[in-house]
Amino acid sequence: MKMLIMGAPGSGKGTQAEIISEKTGIPTISTGAMLREEMAKGSKIGKEAEGYIKQGLFVPDDVIIAMVMERVSRDDCANGYILDGFPRTLKQAEAMTEAGIKVDKVLLIDTPDQEIIDRLGGRRVCETCGATFHVVNKPSPAGDNCPCGGKLITRADDTPETIKKRLEVYYDQTAPILDYYSELVVKVESVPGIAEMNERVMEALGL
Ligand code: AMP
C-alpha cells in the first residue's frame, strides 16, 4: 500500500505515521526527517535545505523530488510505504503520477490552528535518531534525552515566527493539492491523546 499522510505542520502526522508503521510494518518516509539528517551530516542537500527550512519555506521541488524518488526505489519500499510530508506542492504530486506511482490512500489530519501553535512550541526531536516527543503530550521516558541516548532539541523551525510562516505556506501551497487527490482523501479530525487519535486513524483507514 502506498499512502500519503497530510496535514498542517504539527498536526501529528509524523507521530501517526510512526505508529502506523510499527503496527503494519510498512516503512515511513519523512522528507522533513531526511532533510534534517542531511543537515546534520552537512551534505550538499543539507546545506542547500537549511536556509529554506529555518525560514519556514519549502525546499525547491527538484531537490525534494529527486530525494524521494531515490528513496522509494530502495528494496524496503517494494511492498509499499507511507509518505509523511510529501508531496507538499502540486508539482511534487504530479511528479509522482508522472513516475507511475499510484497512491492508494491519503490520510488528512485536520487540526485547529491554535492547537498547532501550542503543539509545535512543545515539540522536541532527538538529534541522533529523529524520534519526536512533546513536553506535555508525549514526554520522553528518558527525560531530557531520547531512549536511544541522543539529546532532545527544539527544532530550528519551531519558533513562533517560523510556525506562523509554515502555516501560511501550508494553506497556500499544500492544502490545494487535496483537490488533486479528492477521491482518495480520508479525513480524521484531531482528538487529544496520541493513542485515541491512532484508534480513529486506524479505523478510518480500515487497518
Ligand atoms: P516537516 O518535518 O515535515 O515539518 O518538514 C520540515 C521542513 O522541511 C519543512 O518546513 C520544509 O521546509 C522542508 N520540507 C519537508 N518536506 C518537504 C517537501 N515535500 N517539499 C518542500 N519542503 C519540504
Side-chain angles (χ1 to χ4, degrees):
M1 181 179 66
K2 298 188 182 89
M3 188 170 91
L4 313 181
I5 301 202
M6 299 193 52
S11 57
K13 59 186 159 50
T15 302
Q16 291 302 324
E18 279 171 27
I19 304 174
I20 301 170
S21 255
E22 275 164 29
K23 289 189 173 171
T24 62
I26 304 170
T28 288
I29 298 170
S30 156
T31 44
M34 287 175 83
L35 291 168
R36 283 186 288 281
E37 252 172 56
E38 295 296 332
M39 289 193 315
K41 280 194 286 191
S43 70
K44 189 164 166 276
I45 293 183
K47 285 187 184 140
E48 190 179 349
E50 194 156 11
Y52 295 101
I53 293 180
K54 286 201 171 148
Q55 291 178 70
L57 300 174
F58 284 169
V59 174
D61 283 333
D62 51 347
V63 175
I64 293 286
I65 292 167
M67 190 177 84
V68 171
M69 291 305 155
E70 188 281 323
R71 179 66 189 85
V72 299
S73 68
R74 294 192 208 160
D75 288 352
D76 64 333
C77 291
N79 294 322
Y81 42 84
I82 301 166
L83 282 170
D84 160 26
F86 181 95
R88 259 173 154 113
T89 63
L90 195 54
K91 196 163 168 218
Q92 294 175 13
E94 287 168 353
M96 280 216 297
T97 308
E98 279 158 25
I101 297 172
K102 197 184 150 294
V103 173
D104 299 300
K105 273 182 190 166
V106 177
L107 170 67
L108 170 66
I109 301 187
D110 197 27
T111 317
D113 285 359
Q114 188 53 51
E115 202 177 316
I116 283 175
I117 293 164
D118 296 343
R119 284 188 192 184
L120 291 180
R123 180 157 73 176
R124 300 291 179 269
V125 179
C126 174
E127 216 175 27
T128 308
C129 74
T132 304
F133 299 92
H134 187 279
V135 287
V136 179
N137 302 336
K138 189 190 172 191
S140 165
D144 291 340
N145 291 317
C146 178
C148 85
K151 197 173 139 206
L152 295 183
I153 54 163
T154 301
R155 277 171 44 170
D157 57 348
D158 279 345
T159 62
E161 311 77 58
T162 313
I163 291 169
K164 192 166 163 268
K165 183 73 201 164
R166 287 164 68 205
L167 275 173
E168 275 171 30
V169 174
Y170 172 75
Y171 286 116
D172 185 45
Q173 298 198 48
T174 307
I177 66 173
L178 289 168
D179 287 341
Y180 185 81
Y181 294 114
S182 58
E183 281 161 25
L184 303 176
V185 175
V186 176
K187 180 168 145 183
V188 180
E189 279 169 28
S190 279
V191 285
I194 292 167
E196 293 79 356
M197 183 63 192
N198 184 250
E199 261 177 45
R200 286 194 174 203
V201 164
M202 300 305 271
E203 195 188 324
L205 292 171
L207 291 173

